[in-house]
Amino acid sequence: MNVQAWTFLLVAASFALYIGIAVWSRASSTKDFYVAGGGVSPLANGMATAADWMSAASFISMAGLISFMGYDGSVYLMGWTGGYVLLALLLAPYLRKYGAFTVPDFVGDRYYSQLARIVAVVCAIFVSFTYVAGQMRGVGIVFGRFLEVDVNVGVGIGMAIVFFYAVLGGMKGITYTQVAQYCVLIFAFMVPAIFLSLMITGTPIPQFGLGGVEQASGIPLLERLNGLHRELGFGPYTSGTKSTLDVFFITAALMVGTAGLPHVIIRFYTVPRVRDARISVGWALLFISLLYTTAPAVAVFARTNLINSVQDVPYAQVPEWFTKWEDTGLLTFNDVNGDGLIQYVGPESSITNELTVDRDIMVLANPEIANLPAWVIGLVAAGGLAAALSTAAGLLLVISSAVSHDLLKRSLKPDISEKQELLAARCAAGVAVIVAGYFGMNPPGFVAQVVAFAFGLAASSFFPAIILGIFSKRTTREGAILGMVSGITFTAAYIVYFNFVNPEANNAASWWFGISPEGIGTVGMLLNFAVTIVVSRMTPEPPPQVQVLVDLIRVPRGAGEAHELSI
Amino acid sequence: MSDTSEHSHVDERPSVTDPETVARHAEYWRRNVRVLGMLLVAWFVVSYLAGIVFAEALNAFTLPFTNFPVGFWFAQQGSIYVFVILIFVYVKLMNDLDREFDVDEGASS
């Protein structure tokens, strides 16, 4: 069988599995729809969280980014895992004890204010929509390259699948589908990595292969890659080019943003007890770390393979994958010196670079570059789709519950019946799928950037409000609202200024203290903390029943199930 | 900004007034915060110090039995392993603390 037949087979089989699970686990109450009935086991919740969290960006783009950034790529590795420590220690157990359905639910109750609830709803919807558009785009790319269908048709198929199981099954359907999607995506990521590690270093474990010896040359792999980089005029792979301060701030923004993302937080409402919430963050990070410690190894293997297979090769003799990716426009060769050979060199080289490779294609192209069997390539396509669909579904649920629960039930029309609320949730999920699909087909040029900035916005809005709501009884509604508004406004303004208003000035020299727009969320978060604390000291203390509520959140006993709101 | 307490969870729960229990819960909270502080120091040291601030200096050394420069290893591998361990240590410490202060949730819900 050829690559395309294998891809069709594996993608179709995985889709059939997801649909089967959705039919089996359909939601019958709002509680099923929002928090999967509150009865998910910690291990299953950990796996679902891992799939929810690892998006098309983690699966398709991250290893490629690291491959080109070297040490600087560490910001993604530490940033997107370290946030789970914050989540486990500072948020998950307390939010589970509180037992709401959504993040705005907690913010609205803790800050005894509808305005705080609305601010939180707007932040949640904004963060989730920017993120989901990127996922649908990832679906389109995978379909376009591997199944050779039109990108728009690919997005359409992806929409139909997500629509089916998110609208029908709600959180319950999504949770069990995500468990299956985690298995597909981790298998699809590990298999090529193990093949590559064996081929290059002779070790089946990629994490050890990265610190091993390249068999062909007998030189340690990282030393060998640093040597290649020196020869070709790139900076050394194991040292960065970003300033230490910027790396520090970007890492912090990604960590805190991770802990503040609503689609990740709500996953911890689905387990029965506080202690289950604690341990399921541990499982989630364990499952995530499997991919995240493999990715830097894949990055180095891909980098070494790429350089070895194209450098000084006559253009007339390039392998098939090279021309296929050239067709997509994501890989371009321009024979500047007319010698018919490919010169792939860095900025410090004396000759001109002739090859441009898009970072996003490295993971997808890697198995072909290394000549792996056809079924492995098909598997990678199915894995990329699993990653994109699972994240999209989680985000759509946040959007639909924000509309049906936070806006409709808790704010506009409190007397709505359970049946009507469930219908509203399904309609909202349906509309959200269509809007997301539209953005996937007609992506605004800045989707990729906006996705990265979603973290900065989450870091500068939710995180301080939730932390202070738990750890400081003195925090008032005035403090929290002003804090959220000033944090997110400052961060958004900095990002918009450097990316859209004055893009020419987007360089280290004009940034404040050399902090890039990617890292500015950390400053926004500090500002939010400062404003909230100062304003809280100047305003009347929260009513006694809120202080009692905070006392109750701090003690595990009596969590019970996630609340059915009996009003 | 209306008062929404009638729609909130607040009044659905009994408040604790017994002074002995209040004092015990306060002490539990102090110990909880101390556990968090300890673990967050470790979290900061492996990522921000070993992986970022001192990474370049640590790259002069090689991790024993491998060919990893130490700073690079912390940034791309080591910090992640430590994060996972930290969460499981936290779970163990907190479950013990819950039992010690009699605020645990029992074997089943």
Side-chain angles (χ1 to χ4, degrees), chain A residues 25-195:
Chain A
S25 61
R26 51 172 302 179
S28 53
S29 66
T30 49
K31 197 164 139 194
D32 277 354
F33 196 91
Y34 294 138
V35 294
V40 179
S41 87
L43 192 73
N45 190 46
M47 247 186 226
T49 308
D52 202 350
W53 167 241
M54 291 191 288
S55 61
S58 293
F59 189 93
I60 299 175
S61 307
M62 192 179 65
L65 271 175
I66 299 167
S67 195
F68 287 91
M69 293 170 73
Y71 168 82
D72 286 340
S74 311
V75 295
Y76 302 110
L77 293 165
M78 287 188 284
W80 286 339
T81 54
Y84 279 83
V85 177
L86 298 176
L87 195 57
L89 273 54
L90 304 176
L91 302 176
Y94 310 109
L95 291 175
R96 175 62 196 86
K97 173 66 194 291
Y98 177 67
F101 283 152
T102 67
V103 174
D105 235 2
F106 173 78
V107 174
D109 289 353
R110 167 60 183 85
Y111 294 115
Y112 45 101
S113 150
Q114 287 293 31
L115 185 63
R117 189 190 308 276
I118 304 288
V119 170
V121 170
V122 172
C123 294
I125 292 180
F126 183 67
V127 169
S128 302
F129 256 124
T130 53
Y131 211 123
V132 82
Q135 303 307 316
M136 297 315 281
R137 194 67 196 158
V139 172
I141 290 178
V142 174
F143 270 107
R145 167 64 184 81
F146 288 96
L147 299 175
E148 292 174 16
V149 298
D150 186 62
V151 172
N152 289 348
V153 177
V155 172
I157 299 172
M159 271 167 65
I161 299 283
V162 174
F163 186 85
F164 189 78
Y165 69 73
V167 173
L168 189 71
M171 185 58 124
K172 200 170 165 204
I174 287 174
T175 300
Y176 294 105
T177 321
Q178 281 172 338
V179 170
Q181 282 163 334
Y182 175 77
C183 299
V184 171
L185 85 86
I186 200 68
F187 188 68
F189 198 83
M190 295 305 293
V191 167
I194 291 169
F195 267 113

Side-chain angles (χ1 to χ4, degrees), chain A residues 434-459:
Chain A
I434 291 164
V435 175
Y438 174 81
F439 282 122
M441 291 181 191
N442 308 290
F446 46 87
V447 160
Q449 289 157 303
V450 176
V451 167
F453 300 140
F455 287 89
L457 299 177

Side-chain angles (χ1 to χ4, degrees), chain A residues 292-468:
Chain A
Y292 272 67
T293 53
T294 306
V298 171
V300 167
F301 301 152
R303 186 82 188 144
T304 315
N305 261 348
L306 176 75
I307 293 174
N308 285 336
S309 57
V310 299
Q311 182 56 25
D312 282 332
V313 168
Y315 181 64
Q317 295 170 22
V318 292
E320 195 195 345
W321 61 263
F322 193 98
T323 30
K324 277 205 165 174
W325 282 106
E326 265 187 316
D327 292 345
T328 62
L330 297 173
L331 183 149
T332 50
F333 171 64
N334 176 11
D335 197 1
V336 179
N337 59 7
D339 64 355
L341 302 176
I342 300 168
Q343 270 93 32
Y344 179 52
V345 296
E348 291 154 34
S349 172
S350 54
I351 51 171
T352 317
N353 179 39
E354 301 179 341
L355 181 72
T356 322
V357 185
D358 189 284
R359 295 162 177 205
D360 283 351
I361 72 172
M362 288 311 290
V363 165
L364 298 175
N366 210 9
E368 295 173 286
I369 298 177
N371 266 323
L372 297 184
W375 64 270
V376 178
I377 300 166
L379 191 62
V380 170
L385 288 173
L389 292 178
S390 58
T391 307
L395 291 161
L396 291 170
L397 192 85
V398 169
I399 297 169
S400 93
S401 60
V403 172
S404 65
H405 187 71
D406 299 319
L407 278 185
L408 213 56
K409 173 85 175 178
R410 300 299 302 278
S411 307
L412 300 176
K413 206 166 175 290
D415 55 344
I416 190 171
S417 79
E418 154 119 9
K419 257 211 157 106
Q420 288 170 311
E421 190 187 345
L422 192 59
L423 181 68
R426 290 204 158 111
C427 292
V431 172
V433 173
I434 291 164
V435 175
Y438 174 81
F439 282 122
M441 291 181 191
N442 308 290
F446 46 87
V447 160
Q449 289 157 303
V450 176
V451 167
F453 300 140
F455 287 89
L457 299 177
S460 61
S461 55
F462 289 124
F463 185 77
I466 302 175
I467 292 281
L468 289 173

Side-chain angles (χ1 to χ4, degrees), chain A residues 98 104-117 473-481 536 539-547 549-550, chain B residues 1-6 8 10:
Chain A
Y98 177 67
D105 235 2
F106 173 78
V107 174
D109 289 353
R110 167 60 183 85
Y111 294 115
Y112 45 101
S113 150
Q114 287 293 31
L115 185 63
R117 189 190 308 276
K473 277 190 220 174
R474 189 65 183 79
T475 309
T476 64
R477 68 173 168 212
E478 292 81 1
I481 294 169
S536 292
T539 42
E541 66 174 49
Q545 73 266 32
V546 169
Q547 305 201 26
L549 171 75
V550 176
Chain B
M1 252 188 270
S2 67
D3 182 0
T4 61
S5 63
E6 59 182 323
S8 78
V10 178

Side-chain angles (χ1 to χ4, degrees), chain A residues 71 94 98 274 278 293 557, chain B residues 9 32 51 77 98 104-105:
Chain A
Y71 168 82
Y94 310 109
Y98 177 67
V274 171
R278 290 181 191 140
T293 53
R557 182 168 288 171
Chain B
H9 305 247
N32 176 14
Q77 298 272 298
D98 288 354
D104 60 309
E105 299 158 286

Side-chain angles (χ1 to χ4, degrees), chain A residues 74-86 88-89 251 255 281-282 285-286 289 292, chain B residues 39-48 74-75 77-90:
Chain A
S74 311
V75 295
Y76 302 110
L77 293 165
M78 287 188 284
W80 286 339
T81 54
Y84 279 83
V85 177
L86 298 176
L89 273 54
T251 307
M255 280 196 191
V281 190
L285 185 59
L286 184 71
S289 68
Y292 272 67
Chain B
L39 296 173
L40 286 177
V41 167
W43 166 82
F44 185 82
V45 168
V46 292
S47 50
Y48 292 94
F74 267 108
Q77 298 272 298
S79 58
I80 303 175
Y81 298 135
V82 177
F83 293 155
V84 175
I85 295 168
L86 284 178
I87 297 183
F88 282 95
V89 169
Y90 167 76

Side-chain angles (χ1 to χ4, degrees), chain B residues 3-102:
Chain B
D3 182 0
T4 61
S5 63
E6 59 182 323
H7 297 304
S8 78
H9 305 247
V10 178
D11 339 37
E12 298 163 24
R13 300 196 176 165
S15 72
V16 177
T17 45
D18 163 35
E20 189 273 329
T21 315
V22 171
R24 188 161 47 85
H25 285 181
E27 177 60 16
Y28 168 79
W29 185 248
R30 263 192 297 280
R31 292 274 297 275
N32 176 14
V33 171
R34 203 157 72 200
V35 168
L36 300 184
M38 247 163 47
L39 296 173
L40 286 177
V41 167
W43 166 82
F44 185 82
V45 168
V46 292
S47 50
Y48 292 94
L49 296 187
I52 298 176
V53 176
F54 299 112
E56 204 52 55
L58 289 171
N59 275 347
F61 307 97
T62 307
L63 194 74
F65 310 111
T66 71
N67 299 296
F68 282 111
V70 172
F72 179 80
W73 181 79
F74 267 108
Q76 302 213 336
Q77 298 272 298
S79 58
I80 303 175
Y81 298 135
V82 177
F83 293 155
V84 175
I85 295 168
L86 284 178
I87 297 183
F88 282 95
V89 169
Y90 167 76
V91 171
K92 167 87 179 98
L93 291 177
M94 286 310 290
N95 286 348
D96 290 351
L97 196 66
D98 288 354
R99 269 191 296 275
E100 188 186 332
F101 282 85
D102 193 29

